[in-house]
């Protein structure tokens, strides 16, 4: 035998180790091959006329391994901004060559979505029914199904919401106060403001935390309405989070050019009386203590009551309804540490969203 250890005297060629093949992604008994997409219908129930209702998820499974992220919309059936955000994300060219898996669920609450209402037919708020139960109410069963089929399979989640009907929210991210890691992803999202808020009993955020799945809650726009800036901020934010997770190329998705404001304290200005509301300020404007932001009048024009700001801050939400009752919430104001920078940074954020070529309609569709 030669010194090479080969009976022929020739050295053996070394085999290059193969890259492990990405396995199929399995969900609801279906298999999605790497590098493909598939729409999967997960049965929920039958309507009273025997029409089936499904929890429908678009599974985008990358050729290369990576994290699993879910993006959900219309947990409240009338909050449709998230539906359009997810539609545009799924059309984005940035998903080409994606690592990992995206579980896109544009409509979680199909019952409310079909009826233009926040609730399910049993009049329950789905976002107060988690973790749910397989033999509970309709809302509890849907919550259990979503948690089991979607959240438990994920490493990260983004839940998209809007204000209720007749209200509007400035695009904002809400996170837990005691989770510094999630703050990094909130900053990567790039919404105008990050608001730390406590977890609510029965919420998706609370249930996901128990499972160890971090979630960003996005709030923007108005129920039953599309708002272009809210949609664009949502699309770019989702893609940026996927970029930070290592799912998308750094060349195709930009980092936010302007840092988000942060606030851990907010309050509502409420109607001092019932009547006809006239508002003088919009969401995204900074207000100072003593500013008059609205007036409530009686229908005969004999009485006016001013709505006066108590503490300065950024308007992150407001009502759009001109008819109010005493005590109705009118303006949601968040405290900001650097008020002198507000207008300049808000203008920069809006300009960036308008000019981002990734979000141009001809590239999305």
């Amino acid at each position: 035998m030669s010194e090479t250890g080969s009976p022929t005297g020739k050295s053996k060629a070394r085999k290059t180790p193969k890259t492990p093949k990405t396995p199929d992604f399995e969900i609801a008994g279906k298999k999605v091959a790497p590098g493909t997409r598939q729409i999967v219908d997960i049965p929920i129930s039958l309507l009273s006329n025997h029409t089936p209702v499904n929890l429908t998820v678009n599974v985008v499974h990358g050729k290369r391994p990576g994290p699993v992220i879910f993006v959900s919309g219309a947990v409240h059936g009338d909050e449709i901004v998230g539906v359009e955000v997810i539609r545009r994300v799924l059309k984005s060219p940035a998903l080409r060559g994606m690592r990992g898996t995206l579980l896109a669920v544009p409509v979680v609450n199909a019952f409310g979505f079909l009826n233009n209402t926040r609730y399910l037919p049993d009049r329950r708020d789905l976002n107060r029914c988690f973790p749910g139960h397989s033999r509970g109410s309709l809302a509890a069963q849907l919550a259990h199904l979503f948690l089991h089929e979607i959240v438990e399979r994920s490493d990260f989640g983004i839940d998209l919401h809007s204000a209720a009907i007749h209200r509007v929210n400035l695009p904002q991210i809400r996170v837990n106060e005691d989770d510094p890691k999630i703050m990094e992803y909130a900053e990567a999202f790039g919404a105008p403001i990050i608001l730390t808020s406590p977890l609510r009993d029965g919420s998706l955020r609370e249930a996901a935390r128990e499972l160890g799945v971090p979630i960003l809650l996005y709030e923007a726009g108005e129920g039953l309405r599309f708002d272009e800036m809210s949609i664009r901020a949502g699309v770019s934010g989702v893609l940026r989070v996927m970029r930070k997770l290592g799912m998308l190329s750094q060349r195709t998705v930009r980092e936010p050019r302007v840092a988000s404001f942060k606030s851990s304290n907010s309050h509502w200005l409420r109607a001092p009386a019932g009547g006809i509301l006239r508002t003088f300020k919009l969401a995204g404007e900074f207000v100072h203590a003593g500013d008059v932001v609205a007036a409530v009048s009686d229908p005969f024009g004999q009485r006016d009551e001013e709505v006066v700001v108590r503490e300065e801050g950024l308007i992150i939400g407001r009502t759009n309804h001109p008819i109010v009752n005493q005590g109705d919430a009118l303006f949601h104001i968040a405290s900001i540490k650097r008020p002198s920078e507000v207008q300049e940074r808000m203008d920069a954020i809006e300009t960036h969203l308008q000019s981002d070529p990734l979000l141009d309609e001809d590239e999305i569709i």
Side-chain angles (χ1 to χ4, degrees), residues 110-132:
F111 303 94
F113 183 77
L114 291 172
N115 291 289
N116 296 334
T117 180
R118 178 184 184 90
Y119 305 104
L120 281 93
D122 58 8
R123 292 296 300 165
R124 285 180 169 87
D125 183 334
L126 180 59
N127 210 27
R128 299 294 177 268
C129 294
F130 287 94

Side-chain angles (χ1 to χ4, degrees), residues 97-296:
M98 184 192 80
R99 292 178 178 267
T101 307
L102 168 64
L103 304 179
V105 189
V107 181
V108 178
N109 178 3
F111 303 94
F113 183 77
L114 291 172
N115 291 289
N116 296 334
T117 180
R118 178 184 184 90
Y119 305 104
L120 281 93
D122 58 8
R123 292 296 300 165
R124 285 180 169 87
D125 183 334
L126 180 59
N127 210 27
R128 299 294 177 268
C129 294
F130 287 94
H133 196 284
S134 61
R135 295 186 300 275
S137 67
L138 179 60
Q141 290 183 39
L142 177 54
H144 174 82
L145 182 69
F146 184 77
L147 206 65
H148 176 68
E149 293 288 354
I150 305 299
V151 181
E152 286 185 0
R153 284 183 163 84
S154 303
D155 301 303
F156 199 92
I158 303 176
D159 191 25
L160 307 172
H161 288 258
S162 75
I165 58 172
H166 307 312
R167 296 184 184 280
V168 65
N169 279 337
L170 181 73
Q172 58 197 260
I173 287 289
R174 297 185 183 180
V175 296
N176 310 336
E177 292 181 285
D178 56 350
D179 192 343
K181 186 65 177 176
I182 196 70
M183 183 61 75
E184 296 179 15
Y185 292 96
E187 291 170 348
F189 192 101
I193 187 166
I194 301 169
L195 186 65
T196 54
S197 61
L199 295 172
R200 295 202 174 202
D201 291 342
S203 68
L204 174 57
R205 274 205 298 161
E206 181 187 59
R209 184 177 184 178
E210 292 298 315
L211 295 173
V213 181
I215 284 186
L216 293 179
L217 175 65
Y218 179 62
E219 288 273 1
E222 179 183 357
L224 296 180
R225 295 287 185 274
F226 278 173
D227 171 71
E228 185 62 24
M229 295 304 295
S230 295
I231 293 166
R232 288 186 171 216
V235 174
S236 59
V238 170
L239 296 176
R240 286 169 182 159
V241 171
M242 293 178 69
R243 176 186 188 270
K244 184 169 181 62
L245 286 166
M247 301 176 71
L248 301 180
S249 167
Q250 296 186 3
R251 297 190 304 272
T252 58
V253 180
R254 298 176 181 177
E255 290 184 343
R257 294 179 180 175
V258 185
S260 305
F261 290 102
K262 295 178 184 176
S263 178
S264 57
N265 182 39
S266 66
H267 65 279
W268 281 94
L269 290 181
R270 297 186 177 274
I276 310 301
L277 176 71
R278 306 191 315 280
T279 56
F280 311 137
K281 296 289 185 179
L282 301 173
E285 292 192 66
F286 191 84
V287 291
H288 300 270
D291 285 353
V292 177
V293 293
V296 180

Side-chain angles (χ1 to χ4, degrees), residues 167 268-279 293-297 303 305-308 310 319 321-332:
R167 296 184 184 280
W268 281 94
L269 290 181
R270 297 186 177 274
I276 310 301
L277 176 71
R278 306 191 315 280
T279 56
V293 293
V296 180
S297 307
R303 173 181 51 82
E305 292 206 37
E306 295 180 336
V307 180
V308 182
R310 303 189 306 272
T319 183
H321 206 305
I323 303 171
V324 298
N325 292 303
Q326 184 171 319
D328 281 357
L330 304 182
F331 292 89
H332 192 192

